[in-house]
């Protein structure tokens, strides 16, 4: 089973460039999340979605945008990349909302130079 | 969401039992306690969830006292491959206001 798939695995961006981090899940989960994790730190929630067409901000949404046109896909868009966005990004999905079992992708390591 | 407090790091040796305690003094009546494990360069992985007393699965045990203000994740006979960061999360399982939020976790280092 594929579970949660993130692409790309690694990316280097120049300051001011834009990119989209892709996330797809094949478990038919309504709930999806984007996190960032800085070195040695815990995960910070960027955006989440409770179903197709519905998204909301998490703890650290500034500099990011999301969309959810289908149940399977939840892309994260970075506009005008900044060095502060250098981080590892994780996408996750869950069958229920709240404190429940969530399934994470392998992450995208992004460096902004 | 209930705030949680865990030790920043712990060291252990292969074959030992490891107990990681999480404090959550303001846990709500409908909150569950969930533990995740994160290996280096990987996303977190769900380990175990419980509400009260004791829960055991093939990976770990979770002990929750009657007042539920703390919980202990127990890893029996750890090996080098158990070196990871362990996160304690507390919240309601079906509450739309309870998005999954992670604290700093406990960094467990297992030595030979």
């Amino acid at each position: 089973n594929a579970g949660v798939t993130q692409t790309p695995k690694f990316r280097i961006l120049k300051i001011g460039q834009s990119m989209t981090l892709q996330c797809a899940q094949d478990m038919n989960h309504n709930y999806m999340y984007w996190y960032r994790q800085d070195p040695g730190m815990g995960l910070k929630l960027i955006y989440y979605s409770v179903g197709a067409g519905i998204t909301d901000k998490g703890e650290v949404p500034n500099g990011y945008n999301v969309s959810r046109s289908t149940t399977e896909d939840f892309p994260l868009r970075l506009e005008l990349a900044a060095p502060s966005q250098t981080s590892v990004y994780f996408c996750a999905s869950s069958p229920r909302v709240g404190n429940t079992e969530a399934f994470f992708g392998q992450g995208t390591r992004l460096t902004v130079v | 969401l209930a705030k949680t407090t865990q030790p920043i790091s712990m060291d252990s040796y292969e074959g030992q039992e490891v107990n990681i305690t999480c404090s959550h003094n303001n846990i709500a009546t409908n909150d569950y306690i969930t533990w995740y494990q994160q290996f280096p360069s990987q996303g977190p992985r769900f380990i175990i969830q419980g509400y009260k007393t004791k829960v055991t699965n093939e990976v770990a045990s979770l002990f929750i006292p009657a007042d539920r203000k703390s919980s202990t994740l127990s890893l029996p006979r750890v090996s080098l491959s158990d070196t990871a960061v362990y996160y304690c999360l507390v919240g309601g399982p079906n509450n739309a206001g309870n998005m999954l939020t992670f604290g700093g976790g406990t960094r467990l280092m297992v030595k030979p």
Side-chain angles (χ1 to χ4, degrees):
Chain A
N1 291 337
V4 178
T5 303
Q6 291 184 237
T7 56
K9 288 186 170 54
F10 304 94
R11 182 73 184 268
I12 298 175
L13 276 183
K14 293 185 178 179
I15 295 172
Q17 287 185 321
S18 301
M19 77 164 293
T20 299
L21 282 66
Q22 302 291 344
C23 175
Q25 52 95 5
D26 62 358
M27 297 171 282
N28 201 33
H29 289 168
N30 282 327
Y31 306 98
M32 295 188 74
Y33 316 84
W34 273 107
Y35 294 88
R36 61 175 287 172
Q37 185 173 36
D38 298 333
M41 307 295 286
L43 286 79
K44 295 289 188 185
L45 181 64
I46 305 172
Y47 270 95
Y48 65 93
S49 169
V50 300
I54 306 171
T55 63
D56 208 345
K57 297 177 180 178
E59 304 168 90
V60 289
N62 291 344
Y64 307 94
N65 279 301
V66 293
S67 60
R68 184 95 182 269
S69 57
T70 67
T71 299
E72 294 78 20
D73 300 300
F74 190 39
L76 176 72
R77 178 83 177 161
L78 278 72
E79 304 283 0
L80 298 175
S84 61
Q85 293 178 305
T86 294
S87 190
V88 179
Y89 292 82
F90 289 103
C91 177
S93 72
S94 64
R96 292 174 297 278
V97 71
N99 185 8
T100 186
E101 181 174 3
F103 299 82
F104 283 78
Q106 288 299 299
T108 295
R109 185 176 297 274
L110 175 68
T111 302
V112 181
V113 296
Chain B
L1 289 174
K3 178 177 169 56
T4 60
T5 302
Q6 307 174 230
I8 293 173
S9 64
M10 295 180 67
D11 288 343
S12 183
Y13 292 92
E14 284 189 293
Q16 289 188 331
E17 178 184 74
V18 171
N19 295 308
I20 306 175
T21 297
C22 179
S23 297
H24 29 80
N25 291 319
N26 59 340
I27 188 169
T29 302
N30 64 340
D31 283 349
Y32 280 69
I33 301 150
T34 307
W35 286 81
Y36 281 79
Q37 174 190 57
Q38 185 179 25
F39 296 117
S41 301
Q42 293 188 26
R45 179 178 75 114
F46 173 92
I47 301 177
I48 197 166
Q49 184 180 70
Y51 183 80
K52 62 180 179 180
T53 61
K54 177 183 175 182
V55 179
T56 297
N57 61 24
E58 66 278 5
V59 176
S61 295
L62 178 59
F63 297 92
I64 306 167
D67 67 5
R68 305 201 325 124
K69 293 184 182 300
S70 66
S71 58
T72 299
L73 176 74
S74 181
L75 306 172
R77 297 180 298 281
V78 294
S79 64
L80 296 177
S81 63
D82 292 312
T83 293
V85 179
Y86 293 83
Y87 297 94
C88 167
L89 281 70
V90 174
N94 294 304
N95 187 337
N98 286 332
M99 289 302 109
L100 282 176
T101 53
F102 289 75
T106 298
R107 192 171 300 272
L108 173 66
M109 174 68 73
V110 179
K111 302 175 181 178

